[in-house]
Amino acid sequence: MTGAERAPLADVRTIAVLRPNALGDFVFCLPALHALRQCYPAAHVLYIGLAWHAAFLQGRPGPVDAVAIMPPTAGMGMQGEADPRAVDVFVETLRAARIDLAVQLFGGGRHANPFVRRLGARLAVGMCSADAEPLDRNVRHEGLVNRRLQLLEVAALAGAAAWPMRRELHVTEDDLAQAARLLPRGSERPLVLLQPGATDPQRRWPVRRFAALGDLLAREGALVAVNGNAQEVALVRELVAAMRHPPIDLSGKASLGALCGILARSALVVSNDTGPLHLALAIGTPAVGIYWLTNLIESGPLRQEGHRAAVSLRVHCAVCGAENIQRRCAHDASFVDDVAQEEVNALALGLLREGGSVDWRGNDGAARTARW
């Protein structure tokens, strides 16, 4: 059975959702998680993920009630040597939870679908490529598609067809407290966060252009900060050194929670197509994303308010000339360096001058607002 929306399953007490991958991929599945929560408000939603999911979602309001940390499993793209015995014990633990609905959001299903079948759910839905074992209800996993919409289609197979059009990720009081320790106190200037890194070097806009943008925004009155993880320290420091108006260097300093707090306090984010960009958009922070052609199709947000896209249409590698639509060549030359400085400048200034606010709800249930 494939395709469209189905009626909700009756008497659902436990829902297991499989998606053990990285930050951006987690953000992509938030609309589907919210749709499941809206359709099954009394169900216990168990997210099958990684240790970072458990740490990040601990005590965080949202559609996930608990995280089951998956051991390294063959074909599931996780670090570490697979331990079949540990996987067997893990599966038995999940079966004991009497799962009613299992939702496979991890990928094409060649390895994930047999795993989901082992959970013994009353109904299993998910993605399925041509070489994968089908589940009870399936969405075809192939081609160039918007991943968020595809995951929403999977949720619709379980009757969860309505997605609430609101911000997708809560910022907690602890996130804000961590952010406060990294940012200067008492500044009235709007905070702008630049994110020059990306896992794939082909998705990186040149550092010198980020630096020129940072100086422009600083002259506009913004307090500029530059973020990067521990592997991007050198990249961030190169950008910081290239700016005439010294920014805040956050490289390797911000935990994921602190980053959420910083994003909540930011008036604007300018970023390559990488996890922090999608996190900002899920929180509701205005953002300019710098995308390569196919990446915007796959990772573009569903809510367009406060989102601006600067897109490169390049398809051939500047080094070898190979087309990179179907297959990535071996070179790391940027595919977004032909996105013009003037275009990103205009998009960033436009969002910054519009002004706005970011709202969230603290752990005590009280509403919070950051304004600029």
Side-chain angles (χ1 to χ4, degrees):
M1 182 177 292
T2 62
E5 171 191 351
R6 301 288 188 263
L9 190 65
D11 301 321
V12 172
R13 297 183 180 182
T14 302
I15 300 172
V17 178
L18 176 69
R19 194 164 172 83
N21 41 21
L23 175 60
D25 297 302
F26 170 72
V27 175
F28 293 170
C29 82
L30 280 171
L33 289 172
H34 282 287
L36 288 166
R37 168 58 72 208
Q38 181 157 303
C39 182
Y40 299 102
H44 180 83
V45 177
L46 178 66
Y47 189 97
I48 303 173
L50 306 178
W52 82 262
H53 292 105
F56 181 61
L57 295 173
Q58 175 89 33
R60 188 177 299 277
V64 174
D65 295 302
V67 175
I69 301 174
M70 192 172 192
T73 306
M76 300 294 279
M78 287 175 281
Q79 294 180 349
E81 185 175 351
D83 182 349
R85 184 178 180 83
V87 174
D88 290 343
V89 171
F90 183 66
V91 168
E92 287 306 311
T93 301
L94 293 175
R95 287 180 65 90
R98 298 181 180 274
I99 295 166
D100 296 297
L101 172 61
V103 184
Q104 193 280 97
L105 302 180
F106 179 68
R110 183 178 178 187
H111 298 279
N113 288 1
F115 173 86
V116 167
R117 282 288 190 194
R118 294 179 64 188
L119 301 182
R122 289 164 49 205
L123 176 66
V125 303
M127 294 181 287
C128 187
S129 57
D131 62 350
E133 173 188 351
L135 299 172
D136 299 322
R137 300 173 183 175
N138 305 276
V139 165
R140 180 66 71 185
H141 184 274
E142 61 186 7
L144 188 62
V145 300
N146 184 289
R147 295 303 174 192
R148 289 175 174 88
L149 287 174
Q150 185 179 54
L151 300 178
L152 273 172
E153 286 183 311
V154 174
L157 292 178
W163 170 58
M165 288 286 288
R166 57 173 178 255
R167 293 187 179 109
E168 299 159 18
L169 190 69
H170 286 265
V171 176
T172 68
E173 296 292 345
D174 183 62
D175 294 339
L176 295 168
Q178 290 187 58
R181 291 192 284 270
L182 296 174
L183 298 173
R185 296 183 180 181
S187 175
E188 298 296 326
R189 299 160 64 192
L191 178 65
V192 172
L193 187 71
L194 304 182
Q195 180 74 36
T199 305
D200 187 345
Q202 287 188 346
R203 299 202 308 266
R204 295 178 188 166
W205 202 47
V207 166
R208 68 182 185 280
R209 296 189 190 166
F210 269 109
L213 173 65
D215 281 328
L216 174 66
L217 295 171
R219 291 194 299 272
E220 188 74 10
L223 176 64
V224 178
V226 186
N227 181 63
N229 61 30
Q231 290 72 47
E232 295 167 339
V233 170
L235 184 71
V236 171
R237 290 181 179 171
E238 180 185 352
L239 195 163
V240 169
M243 285 184 61
R244 297 181 179 180
H245 300 268
I248 302 167
D249 181 349
L250 296 172
S251 58
K253 300 174 184 176
S255 68
L256 191 50
L259 178 58
C260 286
I262 291 166
L263 292 171
R265 290 187 53 177
S266 296
L268 174 68
V269 172
V270 182
S271 173
N272 295 316
D273 176 23
T274 189
L277 169 65
H278 303 296
L279 197 63
L281 292 168
I283 288 170
T285 302
V288 175
I290 301 169
Y291 299 91
W292 182 46
L293 172 65
T294 59
N295 295 142
L296 178 60
I297 296 171
E298 290 188 323
S299 63
L302 303 185
R303 295 176 67 254
Q304 294 302 306
E305 182 182 3
H307 173 241
R308 302 291 184 272
V311 187
S312 168
L313 303 181
R314 174 181 291 177
V315 296
H316 296 95
C317 173
V319 177
C320 67
E323 185 179 275
N324 273 236
I325 297 294
Q326 299 295 330
R327 183 177 299 176
R328 187 194 191 283
C329 71
H331 302 105
D332 288 338
S334 173
F335 269 67
V336 296
D337 62 354
D338 58 346
V339 172
Q341 181 83 60
E342 295 74 17
E343 179 184 4
V344 179
N345 289 358
L347 292 173
L349 285 173
L351 275 181
L352 184 64
R353 288 168 178 169
E354 285 179 15
S357 64
V358 175
D359 302 318
W360 68 91
R361 191 164 295 277
N363 287 340
D364 60 358
R368 302 285 189 269
T369 302
R371 301 188 186 279
W372 54 88

